[in-house]
Amino acid sequence: MLNICYEREHVLSVLRCDGMPPLVKFLSNSDMNVQANAAGAIQSICFQEKGRISARDRGAVPKLLALLDSESLRVRTRAVGALHNLTSDPEVIPTIRRNGGIPLIVALLRADDLAVCSSAAGVVQNISREVASRHIVRDHEEAVPALADLLSARDTSAQSLVTIASLFL
């Protein structure tokens, strides 16, 4: 499921079979492997616009936010990756803001894992397009210093995401 959903036709097949509701339900499963696999599948599906709409409309955002403080690095990585992809849809951003997700995402800018930091920077970049969210990010005392620190990271993807996020802030 993780890999097949990079292709538009496969995403559409999953959505036609009503595959998103079970994936969203699996995000709340007590087994961290199930959570990670569901978040990873949602992350892949959300490369496509119809996948983002389906995940948004089926309540994936609050459940993904709840996984951001998981003790499992794999769960956190996939959950923030899914949110990075989901926030390409501007309608997702208010949901993140209303559910208190911005401080959770800003905290991940300081994660030990660079993939988590990079995806968190991507979320910050995307949510900073919305004025209300931009103010919350800007007013968070850790956001700008954490973004500045990521500029010196060895990951060029993180550097480019931080640079673009900084333009909005």
Side-chain angles (χ1 to χ4, degrees), residues 39-163:
I42 291 170
Q43 178 180 4
S44 295
I45 290 169
C46 288
F47 277 122
Q48 302 295 326
E49 179 182 13
K50 289 183 187 273
R52 290 188 292 273
I53 292 167
S54 179
R56 177 195 74 209
D57 291 350
R58 302 235 175 5
V61 173
K63 293 182 184 244
L64 289 165
L65 289 171
L67 296 177
L68 293 181
D69 64 354
S70 171
E71 60 189 59
S72 166
L73 173 61
R74 190 166 157 248
V75 170
R76 286 192 313 273
T77 302
R78 290 188 173 169
V80 74
L83 288 166
H84 181 193
N85 292 345
L86 267 163
T87 53
S88 294
D89 175 357
E91 292 185 40
V92 168
I93 298 168
T95 304
I96 289 175
R97 180 174 35 78
R98 286 191 304 266
N99 282 277
I102 294 174
L104 298 171
I105 292 160
V106 168
L108 291 178
L109 294 170
R110 295 270 191 209
D112 292 332
D113 185 83
L114 196 52
V116 172
C117 294
S118 182
S119 289
V123 175
V124 169
Q125 172 198 340
N126 289 341
I127 65 175
S128 294
R129 293 177 296 173
E130 183 200 51
V131 173
S133 294
R134 182 181 316 142
H135 290 298
I136 295 169
V137 171
R138 191 182 304 148
D139 293 343
H140 192 290
E141 65 183 37
E142 282 297 312
V144 173
L147 289 167
D149 288 345
L150 281 174
L151 282 173
S152 63
R154 294 183 184 173
D155 185 318
T156 56
S157 173
Q159 291 170 340
S160 64
L161 292 167
V162 168
T163 302

